[in-house]
Every structure is written in C-alpha cells, then in structure tokens.
Amino acid sequence: MDFWKAIFGLVKRRFIGPPLAVLALAAATLVFFLMPTTYVSTASMVLTTPATGGTLPSDPTKPLGLTNPLLQFSDGLRVTAGILILSMNAPEVAAELGVLPNGTTEITINDGRTNPNLLGISTNGPFVYVEVQSRSAATAQDVVVKAKQRVRRELTDRQQALKAPRSTFISIVDVVPSSTPEAKLSGKLTAAGGTLFLVFLVGIGIAYAMTQMRQGGRSADPARPSEGSGGPKEGASGAAAFSGTGAGADPLTGYPRMDTREAVEGPFHDDPEPLVVVIENEPFTHRDDDAGDTIVFMRASGRDDHEK
C-alpha cells in the first residue's frame, strides 16, 4: 500500500508526472511515424462445377440435363480446394510469386478462416482466400493478381494430368476481386502504445529509485538527530546508572543487576578500586562517631556492600 501511495505521489508532483507524460507521448508519436506502414490486399474465390455436371453421358445422343452450378457444391469441391491450398503454400510457389522468406512481403492462402467475413461459411463452401501484406501498396496488389493466376493454372494442370474430360473441368470464379490495398495501422498503434507505457514506467521507476536512495541517505546520517528526540538530556544517563532506576535495575534492591552492569554508563564503572564518597554536610564537631561519614561501595556478587 505504501508503495502505490509513493508512486501516486510521484505522479502528482509537478516536476515528475507531467514531464514524464509529455516525454512518453512524444516517444510514442515518434515511433508511430517511424514505423513503416503495411498495406493489405485480399481476394476470395470459389470452386464450381460445370452446368452439365461432373460426368459424361454414355450415349452422346442423349445428353444429360443441365444443372445450376451454385446448387452443386459438394465434398469433392472442398477436397479440390484443399489440394489447391496445400500446393500454393509450398515455398517454391511463394518464391515464384516474389515472396521471399525474410522479405517485407507476406502471403496467406487458406479457405477463408482468417477472414472474418468468411469465417462462418468457409467450412461449407470450397473457398480459396488470398491475403498479401507488404510495405508497398503496388507490390501487395501485384502479388495478389499473380497468386490468383497461379491458382487457376494449378487447377487446370491437375485436371489435365488426371485426364479429366474437358467438359467436366472444375472452374474457379471470383467471389471478391482483388481489393485495393489498404493501410494496416494496428501494428503501428501497438508499437506506439507499448512505447508510451514503457517510457512512462521506466521514468517513474527511476524517480522512485532516486527518492528511496535520498531517504536512505538521510536516515543513515549519524550527525542528524532523530525526529522528536530533542537531543540527549544532560545527566539523565548518569543519574539512572547511579541510582539503579534504569531498565536493568533489580526491582527489590533498586541496584543494577550483575548482567547489566557492564552496559551501565558512569564515571567509575570501569574502575576496579573501591569507590569512596566523603559526605561533608555537617561539621565534624557535632558528631560523636568518626571524623567523617564515609560510604564505601564495593563490587560484590549480588549487590554493592555498604560500610558506614
């Protein structure tokens, strides 16, 4: 949650968010105009049988009746269309049409499954669909025309190779003729959108990293006091160490425990000699005991020993 708050905070900053947005938009616009434009040209064809059908009468004097070719679509036509599609997708045929493996022109020949207008009916009809993409509009249209001629020649050659009667030859007609090449902007828009997102994301990442580095440098500075501390209080640690009211004091005796005395700060905590404190609050003449009151603090195992 803190991470996203920091990101939104950086975006709202006047010198970070708006400049990054302008930079990302400028980069996306530059990529859009630098990306080459692709032109697409298509053509759709369908196979049909002759009006006399696919057979010859055994008696020439008794010809068969004529039929409507549009009513004679059968599985045989779909199989023939499949044969033509397979033969047209051979690498040598693509090279004959001027489509190189690593070139700027691409050709697609299928039964129309890649065309949204034919997607619903391609499984019911013997269609042959040709699509060419190229960076040149003239090249795209020229390759489509060559592909259509090559399909017709392939169909005729195969029927002649099978010695089919000429009157029963399957023909191929245009459903949609070669279309005028149209500019395809989807690739340019995708590249521009990716550039916009990438530039803005990288910029925000750099700004966030620099902000974190600055904050880390400030917190690691030993000369900078912590917030709200107000500096050390004079005499506080010494009083707590001597009186035994610190965090390591024994609750019964009030003296520091043995396991914490090493960490207690004081002016004599490292001195191995006995600590002698002379109290001179009252004149010696008013007292009947020794010449002065002396308190001797000795280091012992459990607590400090007192002598008076």
Side-chain angles (χ1 to χ4, degrees), residues 279-293:
I279 301 177
E280 298 179 352
N281 291 334
E282 297 181 2
F284 299 146
T285 56
H286 297 282
R287 301 182 61 88
D288 298 334
D289 48 0
D290 297 337
D293 291 340

Side-chain angles (χ1 to χ4, degrees), residues 240-241 244-251 253-266 269-270 299 301-302:
T245 58
D250 192 321
T253 63
Y255 292 94
R257 294 192 295 266
M258 291 299 296
D259 55 351
T260 60
R261 287 184 188 181
E262 295 270 330
V264 176
E265 296 183 359
H269 86 283
D270 288 331
R299 299 183 184 273
S301 58

Side-chain angles (χ1 to χ4, degrees), residues 1-10 208:
M1 195 65 178
D2 294 338
F3 171 77
W4 292 112
K5 287 183 179 179
I7 293 297
F8 291 142
L10 290 174
Y208 178 77

